[in-house]
Structure formats: C-alpha cells, structure tokens
C-alpha cells in the first residue's frame, strides 16, 4: 500500500463537547498522521460550497446550519491507504450500526450529529483538501 492523504472534519457536535483531542488520538492511534489542521467557523458560503453535492436533498439546509453552528476542525491526514483507514476508524454513518471502538460508535449523538466527516475516495480527498488548505499549509 502507498502512503496517501485524506480529508477529515471534526464536526460541531464533537468540538462543542471538547472531543477534538479524543477524535484526533483515535486517528493517530490507527496510524494516520495529521499533516495539516485548523479550527475554523464555517461561513454559510463555505458550508454550502463544500456540501453542494447535496444541494437538492431535503436535509441540505439543516446540514449547512449544523456545520455553521459551532467551530469545526479541518484536517489533512496521511498514512497507508488513508481514505480507507480513516473511514474504518470513523465507523458507519449511523452510530447504531458503527463497529465498537470507532469514532462514531463512541462519540456520535445521532446520524446527523455523527462527529466526523471523511473523504470517500482519493479523488474527493484531493478536492476537499484543496477546498480548505493551500499547499504551503500542509507540512507533512
């Protein structure tokens, strides 16, 4: 396997509960390395742009509002097969279906407030990373 990068967001429900360190520790314990990280408050423009793929879905407005409700932590993670590893550590979107020991099983409050976002492919990871980070901010 090659060392690759993926994108992660620690969502408002987790930052509000001061879980940034706990979530990051789970990622690092799984072999992922944080090569860029910043705590931001998403603007409406950022949230709508990032989630534009969901614009026609009924939950779009609620998702945008949620992502603007508290600070988030955006991160670039690096490691062996980083996209797959991050998705494994995050667990299923529905915390009730997530495997024991995963971030969502331990920290998510609901399907909507599921504590983390992670890229679903290397192609989307590149797009998502570029959305929030310039190359000089990634210091792996």
């Amino acid at each position: 396997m090659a060392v690759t990068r993926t994108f992660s967001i620690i969502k408002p429900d987790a930052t509000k509960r001061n879980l940034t360190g706990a979530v990051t520790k789970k990622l690092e314990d799984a072999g992922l390395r944080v090569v860029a990280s910043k705590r931001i408050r998403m603007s409406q423009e950022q949230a709508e742009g990032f989630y534009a793929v969901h614009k026609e879905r009924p939950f779009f407005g609620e998702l945008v509002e949620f992502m603007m409700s508290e600070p988030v932590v955006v991160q670039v993670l690096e490691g062996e097969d980083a996209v797959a590893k991050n998705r494994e550590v995050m667990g299923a979107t529905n915390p009730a279906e997530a495997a024991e020991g995963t971030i969502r099983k331990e920290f998510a409050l609901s399907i909507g407030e599921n504590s983390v976002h992670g890229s679903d492919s290397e192609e989307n990871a590149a797009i998502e990373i570029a959305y929030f980070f310039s190359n000089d901010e990634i210091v792996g």
Side-chain angles (χ1 to χ4, degrees):
M1 288 280 145
V3 172
T4 58
R5 289 182 174 162
T6 192
F7 178 75
S8 172
I9 301 176
I10 302 175
K11 292 182 177 180
D13 61 292
T15 63
K16 182 178 185 176
R17 293 178 291 140
N18 203 29
L19 295 173
T20 301
V23 170
T24 300
K25 181 173 182 354
K26 282 197 151 303
L27 296 168
E28 291 177 333
D29 286 351
L32 294 165
R33 197 168 128 220
V34 179
V35 295
S37 180
K38 57 187 169 183
R39 185 179 183 94
I40 63 169
R41 184 174 287 272
M42 266 196 215
S43 67
Q44 184 166 349
E45 181 181 350
Q46 281 177 312
E48 287 177 349
F50 187 78
Y51 288 105
V53 67
H54 299 302
K55 191 169 182 98
E56 302 305 319
R57 314 256 325 246
F59 60 81
F60 178 73
E62 186 178 314
L63 175 60
V64 168
E65 288 297 317
F66 169 63
M67 293 304 290
M68 294 169 40
S69 68
E70 297 283 337
V72 299
V73 176
V74 292
Q75 297 179 318
V76 180
L77 307 174
E78 188 175 82
E80 294 285 329
D81 198 13
V83 171
K85 176 57 71 177
N86 186 40
R87 295 190 70 75
E88 177 185 319
V89 175
M90 286 190 314
T93 301
N94 182 347
E97 298 171 2
E100 290 299 326
T102 62
I103 292 168
R104 288 176 172 153
K105 187 66 165 186
E106 289 190 25
F107 303 129
L109 299 173
S110 66
I111 292 175
E113 292 180 307
N114 61 20
S115 299
V116 287
H117 162 87
S119 302
D120 61 2
S121 68
E122 285 189 33
E123 296 76 23
N124 283 338
I127 293 165
E128 293 175 347
I129 289 168
Y131 193 83
F132 287 102
F133 293 95
S134 63
N135 285 335
D136 64 344
E137 292 178 300
I138 303 170
V139 292

